[in-house]
Amino acid sequence: MADALVLAGIHHITAVTARAPENLRFCTRVLGLRLVKKTVNQDDVSAYHLFCADRVGTPGTEVTFFDWPHLPPHQPGHGEIARMALRVGSRQALDWWLAWLDGHGVPGLERGSYAGRDALFFTDFEGQRLALVDDGGVPGGVPWERSPVPPEYQVKGIFAVTLVVRALEPTARVLVDVLGFRLRAEGRGTSRSALFETGSGGPGALVLVEERPDLPRAQLGAGGVHHVAFRVPDDATHRAWREQIAQAGIPVTPQIDRFYFRSLYFREPGGVLYELATDGPGFAVDEDVEHLGEKLSLPPFLEPRRAEIEAHLRPLEPVEAENR
């Protein structure tokens, strides 16, 4: 692994919803995130791609959703991203969140430990598995002044993701030998697990891998996670990463211009889809920061199809109006 190529951490996590209006309400009115970009899945323009994040859409704070109402519920198993863990700043924040989520009828609330830190586990209304983790006060995202969550308790970004795979070693080899992650800790309980970190490590740069050969293959559906994206600083480094992944014998897409960032995709041996995404240009490239997410944004190559695309999208306006 060349020393010059280092992933800074997690860029975003993209999950699947079959109920976009309710999903948006949960992200913004319960989790307190800001809708920073309302766009479409560029590979399936019939579906929204909703980006919720901190006030300005900082890489590493983005939780995004594809809206696929035709999909059945997600079936957990191996070969999946089983949980997204988000950051809060203190144990006191977890206490606040426990009361807040309970007051909103959020299911599955349970205190526990995640990657050695205090955590609160829960699911959303579609069974999406989530955790809030005390990050020890490490600086995070920019608070959103119109969030229903007080600034001191707001979600600060992504803490980690949990992968569940059939066999740990092949996934670990790609993380370490190809992507430059470091093994931070190993666990042996009812199943083997390993915690890996990249960049400077710590919150936002962690991947927890659990080995579960006893489980069936996961079937992606509503309430599941589609992929995790890792941070790359610029286009030149992005191209270098693509070359390195290809040289390792892993099938990888060409660099794709998503307008808000550049992307490339590949599957690791356990079946989980990875993306490498550049930090820029960012979400303010076509909207003022004060008005992020207020209208449907389309990249230039889709703009000529705006009328057609808008005609096939379900309205989100009642939910959006609550967030302005």
Side-chain angles (χ1 to χ4, degrees):
M1 175 70 187
D3 291 340
L5 294 182
V6 179
L7 297 172
I10 297 172
H11 186 283
H12 66 267
I13 303 169
T14 296
V16 178
T17 180
R19 296 156 58 187
E22 294 93 333
N23 174 270
L24 180 55
R25 182 176 288 110
F26 185 83
C27 284
T28 58
R29 308 318 297 168
V30 179
L31 293 183
L33 300 171
R34 183 184 185 188
L35 177 64
V36 295
K37 190 61 59 178
K38 180 176 70 165
T39 185
V40 293
N41 181 331
Q42 294 178 16
D43 303 313
D44 173 14
V45 298
S46 69
Y48 283 113
H49 192 179
L50 305 175
F51 289 77
C52 295
D54 70 349
R55 184 182 186 277
V56 297
T58 306
T61 71
E62 304 162 21
V63 178
T64 93
F65 291 86
F66 294 148
D67 171 36
W68 284 327
H70 60 281
L71 284 188
H74 180 74
Q75 299 299 312
H78 68 77
E80 69 163 343
I81 300 166
R83 188 180 300 275
M84 63 173 82
L86 307 176
R87 303 167 53 187
V88 295
S90 66
R91 188 183 182 90
Q92 291 72 28
L94 291 178
D95 295 337
W96 184 91
W97 276 100
L98 179 61
W100 174 259
L101 294 175
D102 186 56
H104 283 81
V106 173
L109 285 168
E110 182 180 355
R111 294 294 287 261
S113 176
Y114 185 99
R117 294 178 178 265
D118 290 330
L120 176 63
F121 300 96
F122 60 100
T123 63
D124 75 359
F125 61 95
E126 291 180 295
Q128 185 74 241
R129 290 158 290 176
L130 298 147
L132 295 173
V133 185
D134 174 8
D135 70 2
V138 177
V142 181
W144 179 37
E145 63 275 10
R146 283 180 282 174
S147 173
V149 178
E152 65 271 26
Y153 300 140
Q154 285 183 26
V155 171
K156 297 164 61 181
I158 298 165
F159 183 85
V161 290
T162 300
L163 313 185
V164 172
V165 296
R166 184 178 179 87
L168 195 153
E169 282 81 4
T171 293
R173 281 197 295 271
V174 169
L175 283 170
V176 173
D177 296 341
V178 180
L179 299 182
F181 279 72
R182 305 176 299 277
L183 176 65
R184 175 166 161 174
E186 293 184 83
R188 291 186 178 273
T190 56
S191 60
R192 295 174 63 203
S193 65
L195 181 65
F196 300 89
E197 65 180 1
T198 187
S200 59
L206 301 171
V207 172
L208 177 62
V209 183
E210 296 181 355
E211 181 181 78
R212 293 295 304 272
D214 56 308
L215 295 179
R217 178 78 180 187
Q219 299 296 318
L220 181 65
V225 178
H226 188 270
H227 66 267
V228 58
F230 300 108
R231 292 179 61 188
V232 177
D234 52 53
D235 280 4
T237 310
H238 200 245
R239 290 190 293 270
W241 270 112
R242 186 191 181 282
E243 181 179 353
Q244 178 156 296
I245 294 165
Q247 287 179 349
I250 300 172
V252 57
T253 67
Q255 185 186 66
I256 301 171
D257 185 356
R258 297 299 192 191
F259 189 55
Y260 307 109
F261 44 82
R262 313 289 186 261
S263 299
L264 57 86
Y265 303 86
F266 63 97
R267 288 197 183 273
E268 57 83 39
V272 176
L273 182 62
Y274 289 165
E275 175 184 356
L276 301 191
T278 59
D279 279 353
F283 295 123
V285 68
D286 62 352
E287 291 184 301
D288 182 87
V289 169
E290 297 303 318
H291 299 284
L292 291 174
E294 292 183 5
K295 63 178 181 64
L296 181 68
S297 295
L298 297 176
F301 76 90
L302 288 178
E303 191 60 45
R305 299 175 59 191
R306 175 174 287 273
E308 169 200 347
I309 290 170
E310 289 183 333
H312 290 90
L313 292 173
R314 296 180 295 166
L316 297 174
E317 284 77 6
V319 180
E320 293 168 318
E322 298 174 6
N323 301 304
R324 293 176 185 166

